[in-house]
Amino acid sequence: MLDNPEKIHSVDKSNMLGVISSLPTQIERSKVLVTGMNVPHFNPSTVIISGMGGSSVGGELVRDWLSNQVNIPIMVNRNSGLPRYADRNTLAIMVSYSGNTNETLSCARHAWRKGCQIVGIASGGKLEKFCKSNDFPHVLLPPGMPPRGAIGYLFSSVAYVLQEMALIRVEEDIHEARSVLEESQKHWTVNVDTDENPAKKTAKKMEKRTPIIYGHTFYNAVARRWQTQINENAKTMAWSSELPEMDHNEVEGWAGDSKGKKFISVFLRDKHENSETRSQVEATMEILGKRSKTHEVWSEGKTILSRMLHNLYLGDYVSFYLAVLKGVDPTPVRAIMEVKKKVYSTEY
Ligand code: PA5
């Protein structure tokens, strides 16, 4: 199945593959969308990035990547309101690909009431209108994509907003990451057969098991992205978790529960991980390996960002091939829409 491009395209009716393969280009284009914007020029005491689902991952990646490089806290907010400490010294970035997500719109209004400095990122919708009518800067993304497919735009726009505000320089790292993604992508595309294709091989390994993805240090958002891509593209249950925290609780479940054999645990690895992380991962894999199948994914690239995005991007392809193996069109997310219809009955 995975080595038959025609069959793959017949399952992928809405061309998720095209969307996934555009990630490196999205990253490059984001700079133009943000450069020259009228961003607030001030020194925030904190950065709060609000968004839900596919629109929250970009902020989470920025947090994992830059938290050790900036002197202020970067927080990701997946609620309908901001934390109490948010005030006029807060940079509140609102991210919603559609621009119509209730929770994010509600955060935008809350941030406005609290006097935060707001920047919006959306492809239109109510968030764009809100920003325009209140004179807040807004990054306008190209429309027409599934939100999770716009990850390149969503992530780099947040990073470029921070650069535009002179809080950090991100351009060189983003540029290097783009080359790594372009190179890696060649090994994961449809035309490379399973024997030679790590993305297809990993999907095959996962086919009959429930994946649990383990991140650590700056791979936690990446682990979560693997999970959510598998959930949404392959319509399959998956979870993610993080080291070292899991070794203080979850590991007991693995050691004592025979249901482990139904799972495959995937560990996101890094050649530069320090000895503490390495021994943590290895000790954990030893225990989990007795109960479930384990699998390692090794990143490539020079910078932290390129290594993060390399591992993330492989997960996107894996989730796509899992969808194909299941025979489901990766793009439509009917259950998400059904819930939204029921819950979003109030007009904002
Ligand atoms: O992937 C999806 O479709 C969802 O996770 C959405 O991203 C989420 O529901 C929020 O919508 P939006 O990204 O338009 O704000």
Side-chain angles (χ1 to χ4, degrees):
M1 178 73 183
L2 292 186
D3 295 335
N4 184 334
E6 242 167 62
K7 275 194 182 158
I8 291 179
H9 294 303
S10 73
V11 174
D12 182 24
K13 294 186 182 62
S14 323
N15 193 23
M16 178 56 83
L17 190 63
V19 170
I20 291 177
S21 63
S22 71
L23 196 149
T25 319
Q26 292 179 31
I27 286 179
E28 203 66 13
R29 286 196 186 144
S30 303
K31 189 180 168 214
V32 182
L33 302 178
V34 179
T35 306
M37 259 178 73
N38 192 20
V39 291
H41 283 286
F42 78 120
N43 280 322
S45 59
T46 178
V47 179
I48 302 179
I49 309 165
S50 299
M52 302 301 296
S55 289
S56 68
V57 187
E60 225 183 3
L61 289 167
V62 167
R63 181 204 61 200
D64 281 6
W65 172 35
L66 296 180
S67 282
N68 279 337
Q69 297 182 46
V70 293
N71 294 326
I72 47 174
I74 300 178
M75 186 212 164
V76 175
N77 179 39
R78 292 189 177 95
N79 288 305
S80 296
L82 266 61
R84 194 177 172 85
Y85 62 76
D87 60 17
R88 55 184 57 253
N89 297 313
T90 300
L91 170 66
I93 305 181
M94 302 295 151
V95 190
S96 167
Y97 182 75
S98 65
N100 290 325
T101 295
N102 273 12
E103 293 89 337
T104 315
L105 290 167
S106 157
C107 283
R109 286 192 301 275
H110 196 195
W112 176 74
R113 288 197 300 276
K114 280 174 153 289
C116 305
Q117 302 283 336
I118 298 175
V119 176
I121 300 177
S123 66
K126 293 172 187 164
L127 183 56
E128 187 197 8
K129 279 196 195 118
F130 170 85
C131 290
K132 275 191 174 157
S133 59
N134 291 292
D135 249 348
F136 295 130
H138 178 261
V139 183
L140 185 61
L141 305 178
M145 305 173 78
R148 63 192 182 283
I151 181 68
Y153 287 123
L154 294 165
F155 154 74
S156 328
S157 300
V158 175
Y160 276 122
V161 165
L162 301 183
Q163 171 166 302
E164 203 63 16
M165 290 179 65
L167 295 175
I168 184 132
R169 207 175 151 75
V170 293
E171 202 167 332
E172 288 76 15
D173 281 11
I174 290 185
H175 197 68
E176 200 248 347
R178 183 212 156 130
S179 324
V180 170
L181 297 185
E182 270 176 349
E183 191 44 45
S184 310
Q185 174 178 60
K186 294 180 192 155
H187 305 282
W188 304 334
T189 56
V190 168
N191 299 328
V192 181
D193 281 354
T194 307
D195 285 351
E196 306 289 321
N197 188 326
K200 290 183 181 176
K201 264 193 213 165
T202 308
K204 290 282 288 179
K205 267 191 172 178
M206 287 179 170
E207 196 182 356
K208 299 212 159 59
R209 291 165 184 267
T210 299
I212 304 187
I213 322 300
Y214 290 99
H216 59 82
T217 54
F218 42 82
Y219 289 106
N220 291 330
V222 178
R224 198 179 160 85
R225 169 74 175 182
W226 271 68
Q227 174 201 328
T228 56
Q229 285 291 79
I230 292 169
N231 294 149
E232 293 188 51
N233 288 343
K235 328 301 177 207
T236 292
M237 300 229 267
W239 281 274
S240 55
S241 185
E242 35 186 90
L243 286 144
E245 176 60 18
M246 68 143 316
D247 283 334
H248 297 269
N249 33 63
E250 209 177 309
V251 70
E252 279 300 330
W254 280 106
D257 193 332
S258 61
K259 290 195 285 295
K261 53 180 173 295
K262 296 182 177 154
F263 295 88
I264 172 165
S265 29
V266 177
F267 290 83
L268 302 178
R269 306 288 313 260
D270 190 309
K271 284 183 199 108
H272 304 278
E273 62 202 18
N274 65 29
S275 56
E276 193 184 334
T277 301
R278 190 175 317 123
S279 58
Q280 194 101 38
V281 174
E282 284 166 5
T284 309
M285 282 181 64
E286 206 178 310
I287 295 182
L288 269 57
K290 291 184 188 142
R291 289 291 190 190
S292 77
K293 216 177 175 59
T294 56
H295 180 71
E296 293 169 285
V297 170
W298 289 91
S299 61
E300 280 171 30
K302 280 205 285 267
T303 60
I304 286 179
L305 179 66
S306 59
R307 304 203 303 272
M308 282 169 67
L309 292 186
H310 169 276
N311 272 0
L312 175 143
Y313 205 21
L314 175 64
D316 281 10
Y317 275 94
V318 170
S319 69
F320 173 80
Y321 291 124
L322 255 183
V324 172
L325 286 170
K326 274 191 75 177
V328 293
D329 184 358
T331 305
V333 282
R334 294 195 180 88
I336 293 175
M337 299 322 272
E338 191 183 320
V339 176
K340 279 189 181 176
K341 235 187 228 165
K342 286 182 182 154
V343 179
Y344 288 12
S345 50
T346 42
E347 196 48 45
Y348 278 82

